[in-house]
Amino acid sequence: MFKTRLISGIVLVIVALALIITGGNVLLAGIGIVSLIGLFELYRIFQIEKNAAGIVGYLAAVIFYLNLKWNFIPDMMMFVIGLLVVLMFVYVFTYPKYKTEQMLAAFFGVFYVAVMLSYVYQTRVLPMGAYLVWLIFLCSWGSDTCAYCVGVLIGKHKMTPKLSPKKSWEGAVGGILGAALLTLIYGFVFQKAMDTTTTEILILAGISAAGAVISMIGDLTASAIKRNYDIKDYGKLIPGHGGILDRFDSVIFTAPVIFYLASNWIL
């Protein structure tokens, strides 16, 4: 199992590196595909992955990603309200096919998965985005690794014993400090390329620390949904890791946080 997990993890990192370094339409398409797979995994829990409610969600995600490229929706509230109206149209005219929670899941999924993951691309296209985008992964995957190591070594106080018994407060602190330290190292290595001051690198480390906190919330959110519906993994797409949502649960939350904090404090 460890060997399978390691190999698939390496492949995942290589694919992520290729997409993010390339950027542009390739990254947009890649994140769009990842979002659709993640939506499918989430919708499968609510048994709407192959019917009208799920199809509306998939189409909404596609429209949202196309709009990131061509910007044809003048006000995003039109998108939000339009999606809700269409889903309610399906709900009413197919009644009683769907339960209320299924329609809420169809609506929620578009924003929880597709919109929030899109901030990987939106961060990449910012000025300095080629460098800032890596903070998303430093404070999600990097924080997770540091938290795991510290938790195994000295973790004693359970953070959420009913939801995730293996997570400890010591591990959480280690994850936050680890994300900040990794960002400091990253910032000083690429300081000349980014043309940043020491103060700005310290700010980036603080942003990553904040992102690490949110990353844990993202991880626990995904765990809570799985426990509520008594499933172990969202899928089996990534051997040893589970599905897209199992691997990107923290990225979903950290991507918008990094985007907005970096936009306001660095750029």
Side-chain angles (χ1 to χ4, degrees), residues 215-248:
S215 169
M216 294 173 196
I217 301 300
D219 186 13
L220 291 171
T221 297
S223 296
I225 294 173
K226 287 189 289 187
R227 286 190 177 274
N228 276 340
Y229 290 89
D230 196 27
I231 60 172
K232 184 179 184 296
D233 294 316
Y234 282 101
K236 299 179 180 179
L237 182 65
I238 309 171
H241 293 269
I244 287 293
L245 293 182
D246 294 295
R247 187 65 274 177
F248 286 84

Side-chain angles (χ1 to χ4, degrees), residues 11-233:
V11 172
L12 184 63
V13 169
I14 292 172
V15 172
L17 283 169
L19 287 174
I20 294 171
I21 290 172
T22 304
N25 293 337
V26 173
L27 177 60
L28 180 62
I31 295 296
I33 292 170
V34 167
S35 295
L36 288 174
I37 297 172
L39 263 183
F40 180 85
E41 293 175 350
L42 182 67
Y43 285 171
R44 184 165 49 197
I45 295 174
F46 298 93
Q47 300 179 336
I48 58 172
E49 77 278 13
K50 294 181 181 179
N51 56 32
I55 291 170
V56 170
Y58 303 140
L59 290 175
V62 171
I63 290 170
F64 179 82
Y65 275 85
L66 291 175
N67 184 68
L68 289 177
K69 174 64 178 177
W70 286 291
N71 197 29
F72 51 82
I73 301 176
D75 183 351
M76 283 311 298
M77 281 306 298
M78 293 173 60
F79 173 80
V80 176
I81 295 170
L83 173 58
L84 183 59
V85 169
V86 173
L87 284 172
M88 291 305 98
F89 181 93
V90 172
Y91 183 42
V92 168
F93 287 100
T94 61
Y95 188 85
K97 182 176 181 179
Y98 298 103
K99 296 179 180 179
T100 304
E101 56 265 33
Q102 290 177 307
M103 305 311 293
L104 292 175
F107 184 76
F108 165 75
V110 173
F111 298 95
Y112 172 59
V113 181
V115 173
M116 293 181 76
L117 269 179
S118 76
Y119 282 95
V120 173
Y121 168 78
Q122 294 190 63
T123 302
R124 177 64 174 83
V125 298
L126 288 173
M128 285 176 58
Y131 297 98
L132 293 175
V133 70
W134 298 107
L135 269 62
I136 295 171
F137 299 95
L138 287 175
C139 64
S140 53
W141 295 349
S143 168
D144 184 53
T145 301
C146 292
Y148 174 79
C149 293
V150 173
V152 167
L153 290 172
I154 61 172
K156 293 182 179 180
H157 301 86
K158 302 301 181 183
M159 186 164 59
T160 54
K162 290 185 178 181
L163 179 56
S164 188
K166 293 183 179 180
K167 286 183 169 55
S168 65
W169 285 109
E170 292 84 355
V173 172
I176 294 167
L177 295 177
L181 178 60
L182 288 172
T183 303
L184 282 175
I185 295 170
Y186 174 80
F188 283 116
V189 168
F190 293 99
Q191 182 174 15
K192 186 175 180 180
M194 291 191 292
D195 191 26
T196 52
T197 64
T198 299
T199 299
E200 287 173 329
I201 293 174
L202 292 174
I203 292 173
L204 288 176
I207 289 173
S208 283
V213 174
I214 303 301
S215 169
M216 294 173 196
I217 301 300
D219 186 13
L220 291 171
T221 297
S223 296
I225 294 173
K226 287 189 289 187
R227 286 190 177 274
N228 276 340
Y229 290 89
D230 196 27
I231 60 172
K232 184 179 184 296
D233 294 316

